[in-house]
Amino acid sequence: MSRGCYTVLGSLPHLPHFERAERLPLTRLRLEQRIGMLPDDESRQIWEAEALVSLRHAVSRRPDDDGWLRRWRRAMPVIRQPALQEYVRFRLDQQVALAALRLRHAGLGPETEPDIWTVSPYGRHIRAHWQSPDFHLAARHPWLPAVREALAREDAVAMERHLLESCWRWLARRAAAEPLGFAAVVAFVFQWDIVNAWLSRDPRRAAVCFERLLQESRHAR
Amino acid sequence: MDSLIVTLGWVGMYAPLALGAIGSMVGCARAGMSACGALLDVESGYGRYIGVAAMPSSQSIYGIVVTMALRRELTVDNSPGIFGLGLLVGLALMASAFAQGDACAAAINAAKNKLEIFGISLAPAALVEGFAVFAFVFALVLSAGIPR
């Protein structure tokens, strides 16, 4: 356990649940400064993991982005802290299960995106149980049924809420096991990311972003 | 063999002070680091947090008192008792100082976000102090039974 965690955790404000938050209690710059009080290697691992799984970068990611998959594979050996590794794997599994739900909802099969199934240990399992409503993963990922139902209703807000809630709970549980340790710092950084993503919801910006993604896909063709 | 037993007696005599001091160092450092972090996030009441960070220093004081109570001419007859009593009370003081450091760090984190709970947030640290006091008092009581 890093001794710097005591100082960092002492310097972080209370973070309300993302649905109750009215504003971010800490700016991105301040957050980076506070995390900078950890040893260099630990703060580097946090930002490496953040670049991989943060919700901030999620919009620009595409499932068929080879660079993104390569980055996953390159970053995983660099991220050595157990709490970070576990969260990155949790998000990876979540992204893979979500991609499977979306593909199936669009009437496509697992063969459409063959690379996705190789990055998560659940990939093969999902392919094998493609016709099962929750891919036989609901026990391990209790958020799956609710997200599947929201996707079926095409209720994007409810789907996002369920996904963020599952991440929030996972982080809260991990921080509770190590309240003054590195896991608590990791939980704060990614819960801050969740609050930031939730507060950044803006229909006008979403329309602009959608337009940009549409343009990108046209150029890709 | 006799010299080994007397050596253990010396270890036992100094253990409460040494282990209590080690515990206080670590406990105060943990709570102190948390207090320093809190200073970055609050606008006032700095002394309050630094004061809380000093709480685990009491174990060193208990250690000094127990060491003084165990201080006597060491013989083959009294050294085993002094070793057992001194080592165990030293370990208890050290562990309580570690735990109190964490409890103080948690209290600082909680109280800086909600000042009105400052007093009650110190209750876990005070409970830990209570267990250290048990170990201390009964070490003094039992030390009276060790032959001089």
Side-chain angles (χ1 to χ4, degrees):
Chain A
M1 180 169 66
S2 166
R3 278 170 293 183
C5 290
Y6 284 92
T7 313
V8 173
L9 288 169
S11 72
L12 298 174
H14 171 66
L15 199 58
H17 186 269
F18 66 94
E19 286 189 282
R20 288 192 297 274
E22 290 175 0
R23 61 181 178 82
L24 278 168
L26 196 71
T27 63
R28 172 81 192 177
L29 179 66
R30 280 263 184 260
L31 179 67
E32 286 177 7
Q33 284 174 343
R34 304 280 158 89
I35 299 302
M37 291 191 287
L38 287 172
D40 286 348
D41 180 51
E42 289 180 356
S43 56
R44 201 166 35 243
Q45 286 184 54
I46 288 179
W47 299 128
E48 191 79 41
E50 200 252 5
L52 276 181
V53 296
S54 83
L55 300 156
R56 201 159 50 98
H57 302 298
V59 175
S60 56
R61 274 185 221 126
R62 285 166 36 180
D64 58 344
D65 185 346
D66 287 344
W68 179 64
L69 288 174
R70 270 203 303 276
R71 204 160 164 210
W72 272 106
R73 294 193 179 107
R74 200 177 58 233
M76 284 309 279
V78 178
I79 300 166
R80 296 182 307 279
Q81 283 286 344
L84 268 179
Q85 276 185 351
E86 287 166 28
Y87 185 63
V88 168
R89 289 205 182 106
F90 168 77
R91 288 278 293 139
L92 175 64
D93 294 340
Q94 191 184 52
Q95 300 262 348
V96 169
L98 190 60
L101 282 178
R102 284 186 196 280
L103 282 173
R104 200 176 57 186
H105 180 69
L108 301 170
E111 66 287 345
T112 322
E113 299 286 352
D115 281 350
I116 296 178
W117 319 117
T118 60
V119 292
S120 165
Y122 289 128
R124 190 178 290 184
H125 181 90
I126 287 172
R127 288 186 74 160
H129 298 91
W130 191 256
Q131 296 307 325
S132 166
D134 302 315
F135 312 110
H136 285 182
L137 285 175
R140 277 182 177 272
H141 293 279
W143 53 271
L144 258 171
V147 169
R148 174 175 50 77
E149 284 165 19
L151 184 67
R153 292 195 308 272
E154 302 200 340
D155 184 348
V157 175
M159 205 170 100
E160 191 179 357
R161 183 183 284 118
H162 288 306
L163 288 172
L164 296 185
E165 183 66 37
S166 71
C167 293
W168 187 277
R169 282 188 185 177
W170 191 98
L171 291 163
R173 206 166 44 241
R174 193 66 181 78
E178 212 181 305
L180 293 168
F182 192 74
V185 178
V186 170
F188 187 92
V189 171
F190 289 101
Q191 284 183 331
W192 183 94
D193 183 51
I194 291 170
V195 175
N196 187 34
W198 188 252
L199 292 176
S200 307
R201 287 179 313 135
D202 181 343
R204 267 179 296 181
R205 279 177 58 191
V208 172
C209 185
F210 179 71
E211 188 61 34
R212 180 172 57 80
L213 290 171
L214 209 61
Q215 292 294 334
E216 279 178 15
S217 67
R218 278 185 192 143
H219 287 302
R221 282 182 195 171
Chain B
M1 189 64 187
D2 287 359
S3 61
L4 175 68
I5 293 170
V6 173
T7 305
L8 290 177
W10 279 105
V11 170
M13 194 193 292
Y14 197 64
L17 202 165
L19 296 176
I22 290 170
S24 292
M25 286 174 219
V26 175
C28 286
R30 287 178 180 176
M33 285 190 284
S34 194
C36 288
L39 299 187
L40 293 172
D41 197 43
V42 295
E43 301 298 329
S44 60
Y46 302 138
R48 182 185 299 132
Y49 301 113
I50 298 298
V52 172
M55 271 184 85
S57 55
S58 56
Q59 280 80 354
S60 282
I61 298 165
Y62 301 151
I64 291 169
V65 175
V66 175
T67 291
M68 295 310 287
L70 292 175
R71 191 167 168 235
R72 66 202 64 200
E73 192 179 335
L74 293 170
T75 63
V76 175
D77 290 335
N78 64 16
S79 288
I82 289 175
F83 175 73
L85 193 67
L87 184 69
L88 288 176
V89 75
L91 288 173
L93 292 176
M94 185 172 72
S96 72
F98 286 173
Q100 200 175 40
D102 283 351
C104 289
I108 289 166
N109 288 350
K112 81 178 166 61
N113 290 311
K114 202 174 178 184
L115 191 56
E116 60 269 31
I117 60 160
F118 181 74
I120 197 77
S121 70
L122 290 175
L127 276 172
V128 175
E129 183 77 26
F131 292 116
V133 170
F134 285 151
F136 164 62
V137 169
F138 281 91
L140 291 182
V141 171
L142 291 175
S143 69
I146 297 174
R148 287 211 167 255

